[in-house]
Structure formats: C-alpha cells, structure tokens
Amino acid sequence: MKKFFCIFFASCLLCVAISAGGAKDESKKTITFGFWGDSMEANMKMELAKEYMKQHPDVIIEFEYTDGAGYLTKLQTWFSSNTTPDVFGVASDIITNFKDNPNFTDLNPYIKKDSMGKYWNLNTINSMYANSKGEVIAVPFISKVFAIAYNKDLFDKAGIPYPKDDWTVEDMIKAARAITSGEGVNKIYGIRWGVRPMEFYRNLYGTPVYEVGSKTINAKNNKEFKSAISLFADTIKEGLAPNETGGALSTGGFETGRFGMQLSATWDIATLLKLANNSLKWNVVMLPRNSQLNKKMLTTYRGNGWSISSKARHKDICWDFIKYMSATEEAQKKAQSFGLPELQSFAKSKEYLNDFGTSSSTYDKTVFIKMQEQSTSFTNMGMYAQINDVIKVKYELVLAGKLTVDQMAEQVQQEAEQLMASQK
C-alpha cells in the first residue's frame, strides 16, 4: 500500500510517494512535479497528481511547491542549475525571459501527434508559449483574469441598484461613495483594490505605459496611464478604498462584508465560495467603462500552463500526466474554482456554468469568460521589473501628496528611459 509523507519547510512543501516499506518501489516509474499555489490551490494540484497515480499504479509522482511569490525564485534556481522537475508549472507573466531556455521540451510533436487542437485553443498556445524558434514550451491548464465582486447586502443598504456589465467608472465611484461609512476598524469601504493598482495602471485602458516588443516608454503624454493613476489614487485618498500598496489588510478581505466591491481574480472565487457560504450575498460584474476615454477597463491576464523538462527520463508519462490535467473534464472540473478551464468543450458547457460545488453561493461565471476578451498581458521580469518598481515608488508619492499625476508621469518617462538606455 502506498503512503504519502509530507515534509514542511518555511515556504515550501515537498511530498514524495513511497511504498509502505519505507523505500521507493523501483519497479515503478517516477516523475517529479513542481508547481505553486496558496494552500487551497496547491492541494488541488496535489489531488490531481494523486488521482493520476491512482489511475496509473505503475507511476509515482514526487512533487514540491511554493507560494506564488516564491515560485519565480524557484524557477530561476531550477533553470540556472538545470534541475527543473520533469513536469512543472509556468505562468505567462513570469515566463517571458525563460522561453528560450534549453530546459524546455518542445511540445509541438506531442500536440500534433495527439491532435490536441480539438481540446485547446492553439492560437492561445502559440501566442503565449512559443519561443523564438517556434517551439511550444507549455500547454494551457487554466487562465486567470479579474472582475469586480460586489456585496448585494451593502448595495441594498445604500439603496443603489446592482451594477451591470455596461456600467461606467462614474457609476462605480458613485456606488463606492454611497456605501462607504464608519471609521477605524469598523469602517465599511466602498471598494477594495488590494495590491492590484501596481499591476493594473500599466495598461488599464489599452495604451500601455511601456511596450515590451519595441522597448519604448509611453508615460509622459499617456492620458490613459494618468487616468488610471488618478482613479486608484483618488479613491484611496478620498477614503473610498483602503491603501494596501504595501500589502493586504490583516483584517481580511471581501468575505468579511467590509467592502462594497472588490477587484477580484478567478482564484478569489474559491475562497468566496468557501468562506462566504451562506453569510454573504454577492455576485461579479465586468470591469466598468471609462466614459471620458470611451474605453472599458482591461483585466490583466495570467495563463497557467504545464511544461516538460528536456532532461525528463519518462517524457511520454509526463505528457500523459499533462494531458490528464489539461484535457480531461475530471481534472478541469477540480481546477475550475481557481481559473477558467482551458479544455474548450468543458469551458463552454452548461455543466461548468452551473457548477458551484457544495457551496450554496452562486455567481455569474460568464463574467470572467467575457473578461478574457477584455484582457491584456503584462510582465514582471528583468528590466521591466525594475521599471515597475520605479512606477510603484512614484505612485506612492502621488498617494502621499508629494507628486501630482503629471509630475509622476514625467518622472517615470525620464527614469524608465534611463534604465532602458543603461541596458542596451
């Protein structure tokens, strides 16, 4: 009988499947599996691995994970030391600088051999996971986008209608003002941005503050960038939203009932379904339109996929395990609370749209599907990570009243151009 022993480290969990006798069964084939996630998401991925082993008793999967913040460091360590696990997770926002690394197996032959175009969107795969040689370094698992979660009880108490997908930024601010009340630890905020402004203001309306492809900076005269900065900074300075630039509030999030609205990602839904069950009436709505710019707010987009190490001994098993996670309804159903399924037949099914597990809470899943069409990619790597840090520092000065938005944009333009010039 097989047992699982888990060894806990500061930010990492390593689980190894071993035999009851205390040693690995050498008659079985072993693959290693690396991934990230908070406790709920990591458990979901471990359950998928355990289920695969149950269905394939000749396979042992050893796995390790970190939280999301630690995974980039983990990837850098794996790539620099040529020790990538046989199967490992990648995300579109952190993989850019690694795409041509020799540790990846080209998955094109596997995709073509098994005709995987009928399961996944191959255009998405090629746009996000192809390297400079045209090799596909990953296949999709789930995708993650944002929408606005809203508290129906607080909207009812304020006497305002629930938001609809055609609402405006002005509607959102009006609602936030009507809902905000109280002081101190008992304060009810109209909206919660969390730590996301630093991610969203880079390209909230379609004109990014920098272009990765052309390596150009567009801050000084970018009215959309300035509008985004003003939106986040003004709502915080007015007290409609808490300032969480340095991190999340210790008193909890949207599930506490202290926020009328929250910028929420697909992975937040698992928490809401579990913690807000029966205690909170809520739903989600698309990000609003800026009527002055006549543009809808864009969500950042994270594609999560699976890769195979070029050094993996059992690549066919690795591929079969990836197919199980990404192309079976069984696995995609288990992952649906953390992101949008990439198995196209399941993502479009009534079963998916109406499945909320054991929770009595429900929400409009089509909102996140529609937000995929209102999404933009972003990067947190290399020189752009440094530029992001520059923008964050200037944004904090705007929040502190030490810079105007125009001054911020001008300084970002100058300092970001200097950074780019220094690295040519």
Side-chain angles (χ1 to χ4, degrees), residues 43-89:
N43 282 332
M44 174 269 292
K45 292 171 181 176
M46 286 188 278
E47 287 301 319
L48 291 180
K50 292 176 185 178
E51 182 58 34
Y52 183 83
M53 285 188 283
K54 182 179 178 181
Q55 296 178 18
H56 299 79
D58 60 331
V59 175
I60 294 175
I61 299 176
E62 300 177 349
F63 43 97
E64 92 178 83
Y65 80 85
T66 68
D67 58 20
Y71 196 67
L72 176 57
T73 300
K74 181 67 71 174
L75 278 175
Q76 291 170 327
T77 300
W78 285 336
F79 285 137
S80 62
S81 60
N82 295 322
T83 57
T84 47
D86 297 326
V87 173
F88 58 99

Side-chain angles (χ1 to χ4, degrees), residues 118-417:
K118 60 189 175 186
Y119 299 107
W120 305 319
N121 186 327
L122 295 185
N123 289 331
T124 298
I125 292 177
N126 288 323
S127 65
M128 292 188 26
Y129 299 126
N131 64 17
S132 62
K133 299 177 183 178
E135 299 170 337
V136 171
I137 61 168
V139 296
F141 175 49
I142 54 176
S143 57
K144 300 177 178 180
V145 294
F146 286 79
I148 298 288
Y150 63 92
N151 184 321
K152 292 183 176 181
D153 292 330
L154 291 179
F155 270 76
D156 290 341
K157 184 178 179 180
I160 50 179
Y162 302 148
K164 297 181 180 180
D165 285 344
D166 61 352
W167 67 324
T168 66
V169 171
E170 292 78 10
D171 295 330
M172 180 176 65
I173 293 173
K174 182 179 178 180
R177 285 173 176 156
I179 290 169
T180 301
S181 65
E183 297 291 339
V185 295
N186 295 317
K187 182 170 182 177
I188 301 296
Y189 289 96
I191 194 162
R192 185 189 191 209
W193 302 119
V195 297
R196 299 303 167 190
M198 286 73 71
E199 175 182 325
F200 272 70
Y201 55 42
R202 302 177 214 172
N203 187 14
L204 189 61
Y205 295 114
T207 304
V209 68
Y210 53 72
E211 292 278 5
V212 175
S214 61
K215 295 185 178 180
T216 56
I217 301 297
N218 181 24
K220 183 177 179 180
N221 298 314
N222 188 337
K223 63 180 182 180
E224 294 179 9
F225 173 58
K226 294 179 185 179
S227 180
I229 295 295
S230 296
L231 170 64
F232 295 125
D234 289 351
T235 50
I236 291 171
K237 288 193 286 187
E238 189 178 337
L240 306 179
N243 182 4
E244 298 178 274
T245 306
L249 288 178
S250 60
T251 50
F254 183 75
E255 71 279 357
T256 64
R258 295 181 55 228
F259 303 94
M261 296 167 282
Q262 176 177 276
L263 185 58
S264 296
T266 44
W267 64 81
D268 292 318
I269 298 303
T271 300
L272 285 176
L273 289 174
K274 181 179 180 180
L275 299 182
N277 195 13
N278 297 320
S279 64
L280 189 72
K281 295 179 181 178
W282 61 280
N283 206 340
V284 292
V285 65
M286 293 182 71
L287 301 185
R289 176 177 58 86
N290 185 313
S291 57
Q292 293 181 337
L293 298 172
N294 195 28
K295 290 187 175 182
K296 259 190 171 296
M297 291 170 60
L298 301 177
T299 176
T300 53
Y301 179 95
R302 289 172 171 81
N304 290 184
W306 301 119
S307 299
I308 298 176
S309 170
S310 59
K311 300 182 183 300
R313 291 177 56 202
H314 307 297
K315 290 182 181 178
D316 287 343
I317 294 176
C318 294
W319 174 247
D320 193 63
F321 178 42
I322 286 176
K323 286 199 302 181
Y324 167 73
M325 292 189 289
S326 293
T328 67
E329 187 170 311
E330 173 189 10
Q332 290 279 283
K333 187 173 182 178
K334 290 181 179 179
Q336 65 178 311
S337 293
F338 301 91
L340 298 173
E342 287 291 351
L343 177 59
Q344 296 298 294
S345 58
F346 181 57
K348 297 174 182 178
S349 69
K350 290 183 179 180
E351 179 183 2
Y352 165 66
L353 294 175
N354 295 290
D355 182 8
F356 305 97
T358 59
S359 176
S360 62
S361 295
T362 63
Y363 67 98
D364 185 357
K365 287 187 174 182
T366 64
V367 167
F368 286 108
I369 295 174
K370 287 182 285 189
M371 285 309 306
Q372 279 188 306
E373 303 301 319
Q374 294 288 138
S375 64
T376 181
S377 61
F378 69 106
T379 182
N380 284 317
M381 295 298 299
M383 171 179 63
Y384 296 101
Q386 294 177 273
I387 294 174
N388 294 338
D389 289 341
V390 168
I391 302 174
K392 181 176 182 290
V393 169
K394 303 304 179 184
Y395 171 70
E396 290 173 340
L397 291 174
V398 172
L399 285 175
K402 296 180 179 179
L403 282 181
T404 66
V405 173
D406 284 337
Q407 289 170 334
M408 172 191 173
E410 187 168 352
Q411 290 184 18
V412 167
Q413 183 78 32
Q414 181 180 7
E415 293 183 29
E417 285 180 346

